Amino acid sequence: MSIQNNIAIVERNIQTAMRERANISGQALVPVKLIAVTKNHTPAEMQQAIDYGLTTIGENRVQEAVAKYDIFGRKLEYHLLGHLQTNKVKQAVPLFDLIHSLDSEKLARHISRVAGELAKIQPALLEVNVAGEATKQGVSLADVLDFARMVSSLPNLVVAGLMTVAPHFDDPEETRPLFHTLYDKFMELKQACIPNCTMEWLSMGMTNDYSVAIEEGANMVRVGTAIFGARNYDIELTRR
Ligand SMILES: *Cc1c(COP(=O)(O)O)cnc(C)c1O
């Protein structure tokens, strides 16, 4: 299967899940944004996705994103999905259009300060550890509202929504209640109408579970394997 065929299949599945979501919610179709997760994939593979028409990529590591930015420049939109260390913030803020992994007050203050120096308002999603897994990043469901208030009080950050990396289940149906719970939290924050908290995006769903995530209200999905196949951990992409 080619990368372009794979994208066509993913897009068809997204459309099906959007219609299912409209049935479940009784509301109009909500468009869903597809993030092509290109970590550990080569620029040549990325070019195939770009030729198909995808324009937004997701990366986990700042260095790898910088190397790809050197090649593709501003014709792509860059999203950071992985954990951000404070010592990488200076490189990350000028590059990323959206940071999905904001998970601590310390990181938020750091991002806002660096963004201020660049006269940038940095959009970010708050990462939520919905299942309370010890091994995962993210704030707890109970802390999200307070965290959103804190982050949105910073001058150079905007809370653009919520993100989660759900636990892996062989049967994605088992993830459904977690997605449902995060959607409820997303709506609660949206209605709380905190200034600088636009709550535009609910980023949940990966290769194994993006259809279920959309059915439960996701409007941004992050798909790697279903588009590019298994990741090649041998590729070494660093800034030249
Ligand atoms: C790697 C990754 C993805 C994509 O995972 P696939 O299962 O390959 O679709 C999505 N989100 C995050 C945060 C990731 O680290």
Side-chain angles (χ1 to χ4, degrees), residues 12-32:
R12 208 172 55 224
N13 291 340
I14 288 174
Q15 292 297 325
T16 303
M18 280 166 51
R19 283 194 296 275
E20 187 58 27
R21 173 66 190 165
N23 285 338
I24 293 171
S25 66
Q27 286 161 4
L29 279 185
V30 175
V32 171

Side-chain angles (χ1 to χ4, degrees), residues 37-214:
V37 180
T38 50
K39 66 182 184 211
N40 296 96
H41 289 291
T42 62
E45 291 171 301
M46 289 171 64
Q47 188 60 52
Q48 293 187 49
I50 295 165
D51 290 345
Y52 183 93
L54 293 191
T55 54
T56 305
I57 66 152
E59 286 283 340
N60 274 29
R61 294 187 305 124
V62 176
Q63 264 98 328
E64 189 172 338
V66 167
K68 287 167 175 173
Y69 177 78
D70 282 349
I71 297 166
F72 296 106
R74 280 289 155 212
K75 73 176 169 202
L76 296 177
E77 198 179 301
Y78 297 83
H79 290 207
L80 180 65
L81 311 180
H83 180 65
L84 179 57
Q85 291 168 314
T86 46
N87 64 0
K88 298 277 162 55
V89 168
K90 264 202 148 54
Q91 276 182 295
V93 169
L95 173 54
F96 289 106
D97 298 285
L98 184 63
I99 294 172
H100 287 231
S101 48
L102 184 52
D103 60 0
S104 77
E105 174 167 347
K106 181 177 161 219
L107 180 61
R109 291 191 184 282
H110 208 74
I111 293 172
S112 184
R113 182 151 23 85
V114 170
E117 289 162 7
L118 296 166
K120 178 181 184 182
I121 305 287
Q122 177 68 56
L125 309 181
L126 310 184
E127 181 168 358
V128 185
N129 185 349
V130 186
E133 294 168 280
T135 54
K136 287 243 169 86
Q137 311 286 341
V139 299
S140 72
L141 270 173
D143 291 340
V144 184
L145 184 58
D146 282 346
F147 188 47
R149 289 209 166 97
M150 183 269 139
V151 173
S152 58
S153 74
L154 297 173
N156 290 77
L157 257 173
V158 161
V159 179
L162 302 180
M163 176 272 214
T164 197
V165 179
H168 178 90
F169 294 110
D170 288 333
D171 178 4
E173 281 302 324
E174 292 190 48
T175 326
R176 189 181 291 279
L178 297 172
F179 289 149
H180 192 96
T181 300
L182 193 61
Y183 178 79
D184 284 347
K185 185 55 76 175
F186 176 72
M187 292 309 289
E188 183 191 326
L189 264 72
K190 218 178 168 68
Q191 277 147 19
C193 260
I194 308 164
N196 297 320
C197 196
T198 61
M199 281 297 144
E200 205 181 334
W201 300 111
L202 180 55
S203 168
M204 53 185 198
M206 307 171 24
T207 289
N208 191 49
D209 53 19
Y210 64 91
S211 290
V212 173
I214 292 166

Side-chain angles (χ1 to χ4, degrees), residues 222-239:
R222 314 174 306 263
V223 180
T225 308
I227 293 176
F228 298 105
R231 280 182 276 279
N232 174 7
Y233 288 98
D234 293 332
I235 76 157
E236 193 52 52
L237 264 177
T238 44
R239 186 165 212 160

